Amino acid sequence: MKEIKEITTETYLDEVIRVDKAVILNIYNKNCDNCKKLEETLKEVNNEYKDLKIVKLNAKENMKLVSGFMIRAVPTMILFLNGVQVDMRIGAIDKNALQRWLSMYNLLPSNY
């Protein structure tokens, strides 16, 4: 089972930018109910996509890095393809919406 790894400003380059596959960066806050809902959805799809890596970043503990993304709210997911930011989604979304979003970038579940 793949885990959703907690990253920091210090590990961001190695965990997100220097990765040769799709990465979802989930920016969250520990006290945010919508963040908790989204994390459950991300856990559901994490093992279904072999070509996708999901990591999470605590907004309050990494404010300098987060401010560079100019996000307005948490949770925010940022999609990177081969180290390049290609899209962003703000707010919690359900599994079907997440899968539709990923399919826009030709990312499909492994059993598809």
Side-chain angles (χ1 to χ4, degrees), residues 10-70:
E10 291 76 26
T11 60
Y12 166 75
L13 286 175
D14 288 332
E15 297 291 342
V16 178
I17 301 302
R18 295 180 183 135
V19 176
D20 61 353
K21 62 178 168 179
V23 177
I24 291 177
L25 174 61
N26 175 30
I27 301 173
Y28 77 100
N29 181 317
K30 288 182 181 178
N31 298 321
C32 164
D33 288 336
N34 282 333
C35 297
K36 292 172 186 172
K37 289 178 190 174
L38 179 60
E39 185 163 358
E40 290 305 312
T41 301
L42 290 170
K43 284 179 183 177
E44 279 186 55
V45 302
N46 193 33
N47 289 307
E48 297 174 9
Y49 290 76
K50 68 176 181 170
D51 295 327
L52 176 68
K53 177 179 182 177
I54 302 174
V55 296
K56 61 184 182 176
L57 180 73
N58 185 306
K60 285 192 176 184
E61 294 174 5
N62 299 277
M63 291 181 89
K64 186 173 182 180
L65 176 60
V66 170
S67 68
F69 293 117
M70 299 170 46

